[in-house]
């Protein structure tokens, strides 16, 4: 065959650019011993490109498409329609048409064919593109095959395919279309199999879906399949569907649906022997490709034919272990309120600064809790501590324990009191303790800023590693831990005892409002002060409403009020500019690097608040906390042993109000150091751009710390490795990390074991007391925030960078979070009812809906 057409036997997995992802996989399947694939050939991307050469204005439309947003549906639809019209009307050169139809002469004239799209960005590990392009069954005759090949080419530009590419950052010019032409078969049954459970992601389970006749009815959703799971070579579960319809080839081409006889409707499509054989074949294909596969199959006269195999792109990767034993991993991101994928440099730096050993998978970090979970002495404490922070993690871990056969049997090593190994020692509520800790940290950061300026090259990396030990000293200082752990324990004591004595739920929440030394809540109030500085100057406000770049501060000097407004923003950045969304990843853009990210919040503060709002808000919270303390103590003194109870409560309140604000400071200190490291490392990146062929300075983000160190030492950069890492990072961004993951790949799902709120309410963890109703604002990117007073923020997670938005909102709902994570702490300080850990909140709640949030009982109700 010529370059326009290749037989399946001539194709292998390396030829994606020539035959597309689907074609490459089919060719590779045909090479596996014991695997049968229907006969056929591939129309290569060279044929597509040859036809496009003569397609008028094709390139012009591609150029316009590249500038569109994936949300600009009308423009995408219009351009896509025009491009498909161009392709379907373009003449097919004689040599291309002859190459496409010549192989058909080897078949009987009554033979029918399946004509299926195979794009070069399809069925890849990073993006499946499943269902994005067209396929046609039961095509009869050379002329019809040629016409359907042309339709497959055109389907590269359907609205769904164009939108998918735009969302995944794929260049339309880089994606080409090949087409597969295969002999049609008439199966007794067909379906799909997954070599990992598509629901739980468990890699030890094969899932088989089957229906009678062609698989088209199953794929199109008009019939329900029989579903089998296979484990250890045997059928573990089966569910037989009632089959009312089947699809088969129509005599004149295409397919037709027809009813199934009543006596056959409840018969299984496969025997158990066939299911087990099919699962074994799936394991063989998985081993050949080296990753879990989604396989389409058909059964013809008891022979199994495979018609497609692609990687399962939705499975979360498994951390690499040093042994083949069972392991249980807990997500670090759910504890840190940062579940986004991290870059290699971000991952490696965070691992260097963290205390427990961590494992990487899918651009996220996990802690292996197998040993403490397997030991009866520590198991309860681990589940209790992690469950108190996130009940869904605690319940998932308990589910693993309850199975009884997954964890190893470990001998007890003696009792333990918790995850930290000891209870915090008593501490007096002395404000000078916090002042001394802050002073120590400030002096340390100042020394770092002075000394790092003299470092460069390999010496810089040694300096950073040495300073990371100083960072750890500050982060894990025993007195520092004692301060915030005492405050957390005192908060729990207040909630438990005041509910028992007075029937008050979460009574400690109000008591944490407007506490001193909370650097994160102070940041939100400081941005109100920035708004106060700008509010008198309409020219500055108008200027800020139309900025498009991050160099706007210098442009403000010529405006009336510009210098003082600029100075107010600059002063804020000097104090807080190292913060950003996802700040535990050192590579994330900081506010000092992208100050435009703050402008919408500043403008919102100017619009929604009056001068002096920051000071008034803090004082209002302080007065509310004081009045609540007075009421509680008065009610306690009226009880039996009231003076004793009031005295103990008063002491706990003093501990909370003196120390809980410091809870936010250690991370603030870490993030400050991260930004200093980052600036120094980017200086080395600039040198690599000039001397070692690094494409752009941010490319160093896709090297680990040690790899970057080697690149700086050798002045050599592995650009191919960086390109692969970027592709992996894009695929990781599309994945949602599980809270709990096993070494079988199973994402163990926990549940809230309680009823909360009215029927149909969304259940979560109550972290800040009170009930509020308002308009839901579903926001996934802080830069998109357009909030009005009284709105309720609904988002995936919040870290300290989101706290300036808390000034405006009336309530908070997040998908991730715990009792002492940053969003919960700031919500309590600002007096906002909040519920966190609400599964799929951003999908279930629609932007603009009226909702009721109960931060006391832990539920969210969507109102009519």
């Amino acid at each position: 065959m010529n370059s326009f057409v290749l037989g399946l036997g001539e194709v292998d997995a390396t030829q994606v650019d020539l035959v597309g992802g689907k074609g490459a996989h089919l060719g590779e399947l045909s090479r596996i011993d014991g695997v049968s694939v229907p006969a056929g050939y591939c129309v290569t991307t060279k044929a597509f490109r040859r036809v496009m050469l003569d397609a008028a204005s094709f390139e012009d439309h591609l150029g316009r498409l590249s500038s569109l947003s994936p949300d600009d549906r009308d423009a995408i639809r219009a351009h896509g329609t025009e491009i498909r019209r161009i392709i379907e009307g373009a003449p097919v050169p004689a040599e291309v048409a002859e190459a496409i139809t010549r192989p058909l002469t080897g078949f009987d004239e009554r033979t029918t064919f399946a004509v299926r799209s195979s794009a070069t960005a399809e069925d890849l590990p990073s993006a499946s593109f499943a269902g994005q392009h067209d396929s046609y069954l039961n095509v009869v005759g050379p002329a019809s095959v040629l016409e359907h090949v042309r339709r497959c080419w055109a389907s590269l530009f359907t609205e769904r395919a164009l939108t998918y590419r735009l969302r995944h950052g794929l260049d339309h010019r880089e994606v080409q279309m090949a087409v597969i032409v295969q002999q049609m078969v008439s199966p007794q049954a067909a379906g799909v199999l997954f070599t990992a459970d598509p629901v739980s992601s468990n890699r030890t389970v094969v899932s088989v879906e089957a229906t009678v006749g062609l698989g088209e009815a199953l794929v199109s959703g008009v019939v329900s399949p029989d579903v089998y799971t296979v484990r250890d070579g045997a059928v573990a579960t089966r569910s037989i569907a009632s089959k009312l319809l089947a699809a088969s080839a129509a005599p004149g081409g295409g397919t037709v649906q027809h009813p199934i006889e009543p006596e056959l409707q409840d018969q299984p499509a496969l025997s158990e022997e066939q299911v087990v054989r099919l699962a074994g074949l799936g394991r063989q294909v998985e081993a050949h490709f080296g990753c879990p596969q989604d396989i389409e199959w058909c059964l013809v006269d008891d022979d199994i034919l495979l018609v497609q195999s692609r990687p399962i792109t939705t499975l979360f990767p498994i951390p690499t272990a040093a042994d083949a034993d069972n392991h249980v991993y807990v997500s670090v991101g759910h504890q840190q309120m940062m579940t986004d994928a991290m870059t290699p440099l971000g991952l490696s730096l965070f691992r260097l600064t963290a205390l427990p050993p961590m494992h990487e998978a899918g651009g996220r970090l996990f802690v292996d809790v197998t040993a403490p979970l397997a030991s009866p002495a520590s198991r309860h404490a681990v589940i209790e501590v992690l469950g108190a922070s996130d009940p869904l993690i605690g319940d998932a871990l308990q589910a693993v324990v309850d199975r009884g056969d997954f964890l190893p049997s470990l001998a007890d090593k003696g009792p333990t009191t918790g995850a930290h190994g000891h209870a915090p020692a008593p501490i007096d509520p002395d404000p000078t303790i916090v002042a001394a800790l802050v002073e120590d940290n400030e002096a340390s950061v100042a020394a770092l800023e002075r000394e790092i300026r003299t470092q460069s090259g390999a010496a810089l990396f040694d300096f950073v590693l040495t300073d990371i030990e100083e960072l750890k000293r500050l982060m894990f200082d025993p007195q520092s831990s004692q301060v915030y752990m005492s405050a957390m324990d005192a908060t729990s004591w207040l909630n438990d005892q005041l509910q028992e004595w007075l029937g008050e739920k979460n009574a400690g929440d109000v008591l944490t409002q407007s506490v001193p030394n909370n650097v994160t809540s102070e940041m939100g109030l400081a941005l109100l002060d920035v708004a106060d500085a700008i509010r008198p100057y309409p020219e500055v406000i108008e200027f800020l409403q139309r900025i498009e770049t991050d160099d706007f501060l210098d442009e403000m000097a010529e405006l009336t009020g510009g210098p003082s407004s600029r100075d107010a923003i600059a002063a804020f950045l000097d104090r807080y500019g190292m913060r950003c969304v996802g700040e535990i990843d050192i590579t994330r853009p900081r506010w000092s690097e992208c100050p435009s990210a703050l402008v919408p919040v500043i403008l919102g503060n100017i619009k929604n608040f009056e001068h002096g709002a920051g000071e008034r808000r803090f004082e209002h919270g302080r007065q509310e906390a004081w009045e609540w303390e007075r009421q509680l103590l008065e009610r306690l003194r009226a009880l039996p042993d009231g003076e004793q109870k009031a005295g103990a409560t008063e002491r706990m309140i003093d501990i909370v109000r003196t120390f809980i604000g410091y809870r936010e400071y250690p991370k603030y200190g870490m993030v400050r150091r991260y930004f200093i490291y980052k600036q120094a490392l980017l200086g080395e990146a600039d040198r690599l751009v000039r001397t070692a062929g690094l494409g752009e300075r941010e490319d160093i983000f896709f090297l680990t710390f040690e790899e970057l160190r080697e690149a700086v030492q050798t002045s050599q950069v592995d650009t191919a490795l960086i390109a692969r890492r970027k592709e992996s990072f894009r695929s990781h961004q599309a994945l949602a990390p599980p809270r709990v993951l096993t070494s079988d790949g199973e994402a163990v799902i926990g549940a809230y074991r309680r009823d909360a709120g009215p029927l149909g309410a969304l259940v979560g963890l109550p972290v800040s007391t009170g009930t509020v109703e308002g308009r839901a604002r579903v926001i996934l990117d802080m830069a998109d925030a357009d909030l009005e007073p009284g709105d309720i923020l609904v988002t995936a997670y919040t870290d300290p960078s989101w706290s300036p938005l808390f000034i405006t909102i009336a309530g908070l709902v997040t998908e991730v979070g715990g009792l002492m994570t940053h969003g919960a702490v700031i919500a309590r300080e600002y007096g906002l009812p909040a519920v966190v850990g609400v599964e799929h909140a951003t999908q279930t709640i629609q932007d603009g809906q009226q909702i009721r949030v109960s931060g006391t009982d832990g539920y969210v109700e969507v109102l009519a």
Side-chain angles (χ1 to χ4, degrees), residues 501-502 631-643 645-646:
W501 293 337
L502 300 177
Q631 291 180 25
L632 290 173
L633 295 178
E634 183 178 302
R635 291 165 62 189
L636 287 171
R637 290 188 178 103
L639 299 176
D641 298 322
E643 287 298 332
K645 290 173 181 176

Side-chain angles (χ1 to χ4, degrees), residues 657-777:
R657 292 199 59 80
T658 303
F659 291 148
I660 197 66
Y662 179 75
R663 165 71 178 81
E664 294 290 296
Y665 194 86
K667 185 176 183 181
Y668 171 71
M670 180 189 80
V671 171
R672 291 176 72 187
R673 299 187 104 88
Y674 269 20
F675 188 40
I676 297 169
Y677 300 160
K678 180 182 183 181
Q679 290 172 305
L681 294 177
L682 284 174
E684 297 302 317
D686 290 334
R687 282 186 277 277
L688 291 175
V689 170
R690 294 193 301 269
T691 64
L694 186 71
E696 55 187 13
R697 67 195 318 235
E698 289 80 9
D699 283 351
I700 66 166
F701 298 163
F702 298 93
L703 299 173
T704 67
F705 184 82
E706 286 302 322
E707 289 168 347
L708 178 56
R709 178 181 188 161
E710 183 178 355
V712 168
Q713 285 178 320
T714 62
S715 291
Q716 294 180 338
V717 175
D718 189 341
T719 55
L721 173 64
I722 290 172
R724 292 195 300 272
R725 293 269 179 80
K726 286 182 177 181
E727 181 64 25
S728 296
F729 180 68
R730 280 193 290 268
S731 66
H732 293 158
Q733 286 177 303
L735 298 174
R739 284 174 163 83
V740 175
L741 180 67
T742 74
S743 49
D744 286 344
E746 180 183 3
V748 186
I749 307 300
Y752 292 102
R753 303 298 175 180
R754 61 182 173 83
D755 294 325
L759 183 66
L762 306 177
V763 182
L765 178 66
V767 295
S768 185
T769 195
T771 300
V772 65
E773 294 182 13
R775 179 180 65 161
R777 296 311 314 271

